C-alpha cells in the first residue's frame, strides 16, 4: 500500500500531542519531487520510549576500542557493563604469529556498593597491576561506565600513574554511558583518544608496501574484514591497518603511512578520517563492501584514485572472475526472494548499506532508518568540487579539491583531468534519503511502538534490525535478520558475503517454521473503535 505523510498522524494515535510533534520530525515519507528532504536526528530519545539505541560506553569500548586485540580493555564499573559487552558484537580476531590476542577476555573492576561510597580508584590501579603481570598486553584501555563519572573517580590520573609504573600505554576514556544521546558520542571519544595517543605514534615514514591503504570503520563482524582483505590483497593493495576489526595497537601506530583511507562505516569513524586528512594530508574515500554492485563500484573507485594501468587491469580481472562465480548463485536465491519487501533498521550505516544487497536479491526496502546516525548520514554531505591544478606540481600530478578548508589531493594525470573530474569519488557521502523511493519511509530512532504499527500497516516480508526487537517481530510471523550480529552467521561483506547473506535470507523465507505461527492480524481486526448511536 502507498503510505502518505498524512498517514503518520493515524499511526501515532497513542502519542500525546507533544510526543507526536517530536516524533514526526524524525520520520519522513520519501518524495522525490522535493529537492531536499530533511530529518531530525542525533537528538535525545524521549524518556519512556523503548529505543534500540545504546550508550556512549557501548560506542567507545564496545564498538571502536573493543576489536583491538593486543590490548586489554578494562571496564571500570559494575560487572554487568563488562559482562553484557562481552563478545556479543561478534567482532572477530585471529592471533597473528607470535602476536597477542585478548579478545575473549572480559576484564572489569566489578564495582561494589562500597566502591561507589568510598571510590574505586585503588581497585582500578590494582587491576591494572594484575593485568600487566598476568596478561602482558601491548597496551591497556580503561573505559568509564556511568557510576564512575557520578562518583568522580579520576581514571585519567590512575591510568597515567600506571603507565609510568609499568612502561606500557594505559589509555583512559571518559565514556560514561550517559554522555551524549547515544553510542555515537562514544565513537567520538574513542576516535579522539586513538588519534591523540596511538595513530602516528611511530617513527615510520614509509608505507610497508605499494598502494598502501587503511580501512576505517570496518570491525570484522562475522569475518567481514577477512573477506574484504582477501579481495584487496589479491588486487595488490597493502593494508596498513583496519580500524579497528581484527586490528592491534601496533598496527594503528603505523596508520599515518597509508596513501589513502577507505571509509566503510562513515558514522563511527569520520572523525579519524578528517583528522588524518588534516594532520597528514591523506585523502579519504567512502566505500561500501556490502553488496556485489557496491563492492565492484568501490574497487573501481579505488583503482581510479591510484590510476595505475596495472592496478586497474588486475582490479577488472578480479571483478570479472568473482562475478562469473557469484552471479549464477545469486540468481538461484533471487528466485526465492524476488518481489519481497524489507524493513532495514540498523545503527548508523547498515540501514543504508544493506539496501543494495537486498535489491540485488529483488527485495525492496520500504522502510529504513538508523538508531543514532546524524543528519549527514541521512541527507548526505555535499562537497562541491572546485578543481584547481597546481602548476608547479606537474611532475606529481594532483587535483586539489577545496571546500570548507578541507582539501583532497587526488593523483590524476593532468591530461586526464577533464575526462575524470566528474567521476572522481570525492570524500563525500550521499546519504540514505536520496536512495529511497517515493512513498517509502525513513525513520530515525525507530521505537518499539512504531515498529509494531508500521509492521501492522505495511507487513514487510523480512525485518532487519537487532536483538532488541528481533523476537517480537518473529512472533508476529515475520522472518527477522539481525544485521548487527548476523544471527551468528557471516561474513556478509564482499562477494562471498553476498552469497552467504542470500542463503541466510532465502532460508529465512523458506523455513517451515512460519506454518506454525499465526500473525496477530490473521485473527484480530485491524481497526477497532466504538460506534455511537444517534
Ligand atoms: Fe558503524 Fe558498525 Fe553501524 Fe556502528 Fe553499532 Fe555495529 Fe551497527 Mo551494531 S560501527 S554505525 S555503533 S556499521 S555495533 S559494526 S552493527 S549499531 S549499523
Ligand atoms: C551496541 C552494539 C550493537 C548491539 C546490537 C543489537 C552490536 O550498540 O552496543 O542491538 O542487536 O552491533 O552488537 O549495536
Amino acid at each position: 500500500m502507498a503510505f502518505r505523510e498524512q498517514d503518520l498522524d493515524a499511526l501515532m494515535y497513542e502519542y500525546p500531542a507533544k510526543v507526536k510533534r517530536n516524533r514526526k520530525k524524525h520520520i519522513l515519507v520519501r518524495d522525490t519531487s522535493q529537492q531536499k528532504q530533511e530529518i531530525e536526528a542525533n537528538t535525545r530519545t524521549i524518556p519512556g520510549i523503548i529505543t534500540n539505541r545504546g550508550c556512549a560506553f557501548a560506542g567507545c569500548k564496545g564498538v571502536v576500542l573493543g576489536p583491538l586485540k593486543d590490548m586489554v580493555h578494562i571496564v571500570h564499573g559494575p560487572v554487568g557493563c563488562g559482562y553484557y559487552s562481552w563478545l556479543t558484537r561478534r567482532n572477530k580476531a585471529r592471533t597473528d604469529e607470535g602476536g597477542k590476542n585478548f579478545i575473549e577476555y572480559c576484564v572489569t573492576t566489578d564495582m561494589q556498593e562500597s566502591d561507589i561510597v568510598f571510590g574505586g580508584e585503588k581497585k582500578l590501579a590494582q587491576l591494572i597491576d594484575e593485568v600487566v603481570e598476568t596478561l602482558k598486553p601491548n597496551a591497556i584501555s580503561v573505559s568509564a561506565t556511568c557510576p564512575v563519572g557520578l562518583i568522580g573517580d579520576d581514571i585519567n590520573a590512575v591510568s597515567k600513574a600506571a603507565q609510568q609504573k609499568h612502561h606500557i600505554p594505559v589509555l583512559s576514556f571518559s565514556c560514561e554511558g550517559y554522555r551524549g544521546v547515544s553510542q555515537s558520542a562514544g565513537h567520538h571519544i574513542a576516535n579522539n583518544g586513538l588519534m591523540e595517543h596511538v595513530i602516528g605514534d611511530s617513527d615510520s615514514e614509509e608505507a610497508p608496501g605499494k598502494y598502501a591503504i587503511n580501512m576505517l570503520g570496518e570491525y570484522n563482524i562475522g569475518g567481514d574484514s577477512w573477506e574484504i582483505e582477501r579481495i584487496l590483497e589479491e588486487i595488490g593493495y597493502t593494508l596498513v591497518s583496519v580500524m579497528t576489526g581484527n586490528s592491534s595497537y601496533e598496527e594503528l601506530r603505523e596508520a599515518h603511512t597509508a596513501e589513502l583511507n577507505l571509509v566503510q562505516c562513515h558514522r563511527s569513524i569520520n572523525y579519524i578520517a578528517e583528522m588524518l586528512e588534516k594532520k597528514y594530508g591523506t585523502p579519504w574515500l567512502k566505500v561500501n563492501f556490502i553488496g556485489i554492485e557496491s563492492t565492484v563500484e568501490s574497487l573501481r573507485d579505488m583503482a581510479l584514485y591510484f590510476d595505475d594501468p596495472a592496478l586497474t587491469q588486475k582490479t577488472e580481472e578480479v571483478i570479472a572472475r568473482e562475478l562469473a562465480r557469484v552471479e549464477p548463485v545469486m540468481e538461484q536465491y533471487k528466485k526465492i526472494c524476488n518481489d519481497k519487501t524489507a524493513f532495514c533498521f540498523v545503527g548508523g550505516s547498515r540501514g543504508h548499506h544493506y539496501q543494495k544487497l537486498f535489491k540485488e536479491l529483488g527485495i525492496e526496502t520500504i522502510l529504513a532508518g538508523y538508531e543514532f546516525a546524524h543528519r549527514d548520514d541521512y541527507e548526505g554531505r555535499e562537497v562541491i568540487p572546485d578543481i584547481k591544478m597546481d602548476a608547479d606540481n606537474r611532475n606529481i600530478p594532483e587535483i586539489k579539491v577545496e571546500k570548507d578548508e578541507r582539501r583532497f589531493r587526488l593523483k590524476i594525470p593532468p591530461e586526464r583531468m577533464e575526462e575524470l573530474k566528474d567521476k572522481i569519488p570525492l570524500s563525500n557521502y550521499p546519504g540514505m534519503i536520496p536512495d529511497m523511493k517515493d512513498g517509502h519511509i525513513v525513520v530515525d530512532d525507530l521505537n518499539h511502538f512504531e515498529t509494531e504499527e508500521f509492521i501492522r500497516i505495511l507487513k514487510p516480508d523480512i525485518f532487519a534490525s537487532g536483538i532488541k526487537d528481533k523476537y517480537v517481530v518473529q512472533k508476529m510471523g515475520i522472518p527477522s535478520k539481525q544485521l548487527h550480529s548476523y544471527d551468528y552467521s557471516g561474513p556478509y561483506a564482499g562477494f562471498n558475503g553476498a552469497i552467504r547473506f542470500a542463503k541466510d535470507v532465502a532460508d529465512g523465507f523458506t523455513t517451515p517454521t512460519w506454518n506454525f505461527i499465526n500473525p496477530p492480524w490473521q485473527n484480530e481486526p485491524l481497526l477497532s473503535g466504538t460506534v455511537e448511536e444517534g
Side-chain angles (χ1 to χ4, degrees):
M1 79 171 253
F3 199 88
R4 295 156 311 155
E5 193 78 42
Q6 47 278 38
D7 296 327
L8 286 176
D9 279 314
L11 183 130
M12 296 181 181
Y13 65 98
E14 280 202 355
Y15 283 155
K18 203 171 155 195
V19 174
K20 195 189 267 189
R21 269 201 306 280
N22 176 311
R23 284 302 301 155
K24 272 189 87 170
K25 294 184 205 148
H26 294 263
I27 306 177
L28 65 82
V29 181
R30 181 74 177 117
D31 173 3
T32 51
S33 69
Q34 291 188 39
Q35 254 238 318
K36 189 169 191 272
Q37 281 185 286
E38 294 184 349
I39 193 162
E40 197 148 292
N42 192 31
T43 59
R44 215 159 87 91
T45 302
I46 299 166
I49 279 187
I50 307 175
T51 170
N52 284 1
R53 281 175 164 179
C55 64
F57 164 78
C60 179
K61 184 267 172 185
V63 173
V64 180
L65 301 177
L68 294 167
K69 61 190 171 187
D70 60 345
M71 296 176 74
V72 167
H73 303 289
I74 294 180
V75 176
H76 187 34
V79 71
C81 298
Y83 183 78
Y84 290 109
S85 59
W86 180 34
L87 299 180
T88 52
R89 185 162 170 255
R90 303 192 64 244
N91 45 279
K92 294 185 168 233
R94 273 191 205 121
T95 315
D96 305 321
E97 227 181 279
K100 297 175 184 176
N101 185 354
F102 305 104
I103 279 295
E104 288 177 0
Y105 286 76
C106 174
V107 185
T108 170
T109 45
D110 181 19
M111 277 177 129
Q112 302 293 316
E113 247 170 38
S114 58
D115 303 315
I116 301 292
V117 176
F118 300 108
E121 291 178 6
K122 270 195 197 133
K123 205 170 184 185
L124 175 62
Q126 262 169 21
L127 178 62
I128 298 174
D129 292 348
E130 203 178 316
V131 164
V132 174
E133 199 179 306
T134 54
L135 300 173
K136 302 182 177 54
N138 290 345
I140 291 174
S141 77
V142 176
S143 290
T145 57
C146 293
V148 173
L150 298 176
I151 64 172
D153 270 5
D154 189 347
I155 59 165
N156 202 10
V158 175
S159 302
K160 265 195 184 143
Q163 177 159 319
Q164 275 165 7
K165 180 172 170 188
H166 297 295
H167 308 290
I168 66 160
V170 183
L171 315 175
S172 60
F173 294 85
S174 296
C175 56
E176 284 85 352
Y178 55 74
R179 281 179 196 268
V181 301
S182 69
Q183 49 269 67
S184 178
H187 303 147
H188 206 158
I189 293 166
N191 283 199
N192 284 342
L194 291 179
M195 197 62 201
E196 195 177 331
H197 302 290
V198 188
I199 294 164
D201 179 36
S202 93
D203 298 332
S204 314
E205 280 173 17
E206 290 287 310
K210 231 176 156 188
Y211 315 124
I213 51 178
N214 294 312
M215 185 152 55
L216 277 62
E218 171 47 56
Y219 301 95
N220 204 25
I221 309 302
D224 276 354
S225 177
W226 290 328
E227 164 63 0
I228 302 169
E229 285 169 43
R230 174 186 75 84
I231 303 163
L232 296 183
E233 279 166 7
E234 187 186 347
I235 292 174
Y237 291 102
T238 305
L239 262 159
V240 183
S241 78
V242 176
M243 292 187 205
T244 52
N246 186 38
S247 198
S248 63
Y249 175 84
E250 291 303 326
E251 238 177 69
L252 252 60
R253 292 176 67 216
E254 307 293 327
H256 62 291
T257 61
E259 291 177 61
L260 176 69
N261 291 320
L262 308 181
V263 176
Q264 168 70 23
C265 166
H266 167 261
R267 181 64 273 136
S268 59
I269 210 151
N270 61 51
Y271 318 100
I272 288 187
E274 306 255 323
M275 287 187 275
L276 280 171
E277 188 181 6
K278 239 188 185 141
K279 192 161 171 187
Y280 301 102
T282 328
W284 60 270
L285 177 65
K286 177 74 188 84
V287 289
N288 178 16
F289 289 106
I290 302 296
I292 293 175
E293 254 178 56
S294 307
T295 300
V296 168
E297 202 180 309
S298 299
L299 294 175
R300 289 194 171 134
D301 283 351
M302 291 169 67
L304 188 59
Y305 171 77
F306 285 99
D307 200 43
D308 174 331
L311 186 80
T312 306
Q313 194 191 337
K314 184 71 191 171
T315 302
E316 291 304 330
E317 266 171 40
V318 170
I319 291 173
R321 190 201 63 210
E322 293 288 308
L323 288 184
R325 183 172 68 88
V326 299
E327 276 184 332
V329 186
M330 290 295 276
E331 277 308 312
Q332 294 304 315
Y333 290 121
K334 200 171 167 179
K335 288 181 193 155
I336 298 168
C337 301
N338 213 13
D339 286 336
K340 299 235 183 317
T341 58
F343 281 12
C344 188
F345 180 74
V346 206
S349 73
R350 294 181 177 187
H352 183 205
H353 281 165
Y354 272 82
Q355 289 189 30
K356 273 203 179 149
L357 184 47
F358 271 133
K359 187 86 195 133
E360 281 165 18
L361 289 168
I363 303 172
E364 193 73 62
T365 303
I366 54 174
L367 179 146
Y370 301 121
E371 284 174 29
F372 51 79
H374 298 203
R375 277 184 61 184
D376 58 346
D377 301 302
Y378 289 105
E379 297 167 21
R381 30 160 87 214
E382 263 175 49
V383 177
I384 303 150
D386 166 20
I387 299 177
K388 293 183 192 136
M389 275 301 296
D390 187 339
D392 300 324
N393 227 354
R394 292 191 76 86
N395 291 334
I396 317 163
E398 61 178 37
I399 292 177
K400 286 182 184 167
V401 183
E402 294 182 3
K403 167 134 205 300
D404 303 338
E405 297 171 27
R406 297 176 340 111
R407 277 169 52 178
F408 312 98
R409 287 172 299 126
L410 302 167
K411 290 181 190 169
I412 305 284
E415 62 277 10
R416 295 192 60 202
M417 195 173 72
E418 267 311 304
E419 168 205 344
L420 294 176
K421 78 176 182 211
D422 294 330
K423 296 188 200 145
I424 292 165
L426 300 173
S427 306
N428 69 355
Y429 176 58
M432 173 196 278
I433 293 173
D435 277 351
M436 300 295 292
K437 287 208 179 129
D438 271 322
H440 292 172
I441 299 158
V442 181
V443 191
D444 175 63
D445 191 15
L446 179 68
N447 58 51
H448 278 217
F449 170 71
E450 288 162 13
T451 299
E452 290 189 23
E453 291 305 303
F454 275 121
I455 287 183
R456 216 161 50 86
I457 297 167
L458 298 169
K459 297 186 195 57
D461 295 302
I462 186 164
F463 184 89
S465 77
I467 193 82
K468 293 160 200 153
D469 40 20
K470 176 186 176 70
Y471 298 102
V472 176
V473 173
Q474 262 178 204
K475 284 174 189 169
M476 293 167 102
I478 293 172
S480 82
K481 179 81 239 154
Q482 289 189 69
L483 285 186
H484 299 257
S485 69
Y486 301 162
D487 291 298
Y488 326 107
S489 181
Y492 284 164
F495 298 108
N496 289 338
I499 298 177
R500 160 69 53 192
F501 180 78
K503 179 182 185 313
D504 289 352
V505 168
D507 284 353
F509 288 135
T510 50
T511 171
T513 314
W514 308 118
N515 299 332
F516 301 98
I517 296 173
N518 288 329
W521 48 83
Q522 247 173 31
N523 305 320
E524 294 163 20
L526 283 181
L527 294 173
S528 64
T530 49
V531 180
E532 282 180 24
E533 294 203 13

